[in-house]
Amino acid sequence: MDKGGSRVDRGGMEFPRLQHAFFTQRLELRHPWTIARGTAAFKEYQYVRLERGGRMAWGEAAHNARYGESLASVRAGLEAGWALVEAGDLAGSAERLSRLGSGLPRAAVAALEMALVDLEGKEQGRSAREVLGVPEGLPPPTSFSLGMGAREEMQAKVREAAGFAVLKLKLGSDRDRELVQAVREVTDQVLRVDANEGWTDAGAALRQIEWLAGQGVELVEQPLPAGRLAEMAWLRERSPLPLFADEDVVERGDMARLAGAYDGVNLKVMKSGGPREVWRMVQAAREAGLQVMLGCMIESSCGIAAAAALAGAVDFVDLDGHLLLAQDPFRGLRLEEGRVLPGEGPGLGVEWVGSA
Ligand code: MG
């Protein structure tokens, strides 16, 4: 939906006007995606396109039902968030969004914010990293995630992922050990495990983690359901592996209470409302003594590009969402020696090549 004319007349002078459009795009997955919560064959998300003076900027809202978001709620959130943007000048609008948009679906705020960062970067000839004020750094290699599957299917996925230094296994079912053994039979790659809240008993989780430590697993993400921080503190005291929060960390204010219960946090642009807020959260996590992983939803390389702008400043990277797609509607993001790197161009460094 496009709104507004292309020019604003101010006393006879013509200035390029900022136009916006929201649209839906379906993303087919390379393989059906199964985690502890369920299975998906495709994703359908809302996108933002901004245009001014012939430059296009992009945003993606990879919403997640786990955080109470839907395609419809995100669409409403985009409309409401855009009203906040239009109420102020563009330079201050990303700031306004993170301040006033806190009641909106965070994926919607993320999409608007990344599009504004993209536009600002493109208009100023600067990268998103520079716009965000993130120091330059070489990001750690990304892990590549394997959803749950049958034994042969898992082993075939491991072979496809031979170029990645680290694999992330989605566990949290009664087949956990069988899956890890199937993967270990065909690879020596470092493994990370994400239980996605799938283990419900702290004692059983500890036994599982002790066993995983003997399988060359580097760390474990979200072993118990979110909110069980006393049990997490008990588990962390005894765990031979570092424990990372994912579903347990959404806002900057979460850091202080997580510090005794986890060793690190998995931060995501979509989960927390955009790259500016996640950059603030990276710094808050450091202050709380937490290690930082930068993660993602299943999303195109548009959303991943917003995270890639921060990736040189974190300890662990899990930015593989776009690699799980059959077709990525954006082009420009780089993958070099297992590292996800921003595109060469200004802003997010990605351009739409889809058909919407
Ligand atoms: Mg996770």
Side-chain angles (χ1 to χ4, degrees), residues 123-198:
E123 291 187 339
Q124 298 173 358
R126 298 195 296 161
S127 68
R129 180 188 63 74
E130 290 167 326
V131 171
L132 295 166
V134 178
E136 196 170 7
L138 184 68
T142 183
S143 49
F144 184 82
S145 302
L146 305 184
M148 297 172 181
R151 178 188 169 77
E152 294 69 27
E153 197 185 323
M154 297 289 292
Q155 294 184 334
K157 286 188 205 170
V158 172
R159 291 188 192 96
E160 281 180 38
F164 295 90
V166 186
L167 299 179
K168 179 156 150 181
L169 299 185
K170 294 293 200 174
L171 298 186
S173 79
D174 52 9
R175 297 177 52 227
D176 287 349
R177 293 194 185 194
E178 176 196 335
L179 294 185
V180 174
Q181 283 165 338
V183 168
R184 261 291 164 251
E185 276 174 28
V186 291
T187 184
D188 293 327
Q189 280 151 293
V190 172
L191 301 180
R192 294 177 193 154
V193 157
D194 186 356
N196 282 114
E197 314 182 275

Side-chain angles (χ1 to χ4, degrees), residues 168 170 194 196 221 246-247 266 268:
K168 179 156 150 181
K170 294 293 200 174
D194 186 356
N196 282 114
E221 198 175 302
D246 181 358
E247 284 84 348
N266 183 352
K268 301 176 183 177

Side-chain angles (χ1 to χ4, degrees), residues 25-33 40-45 47 60 62 144-145 160 296-304 319-331 333 352-353:
Q25 173 76 19
R26 180 175 158 126
L27 305 176
E28 302 293 339
L29 305 189
R30 200 183 289 264
H31 301 289
W33 178 247
F42 68 92
K43 297 284 179 180
E44 195 170 35
Y45 297 140
Y47 291 81
E60 179 177 43
F144 184 82
S145 302
E160 281 180 38
C296 61
M297 305 300 178
I298 292 178
E299 54 196 81
S300 80
S301 56
C302 177
I304 300 292
L319 292 179
D320 63 345
H322 60 309
L323 304 171
L324 305 174
L325 302 179
Q327 265 194 323
D328 189 336
F330 289 87
R331 187 180 296 158
L333 193 71
W352 173 259
V353 291

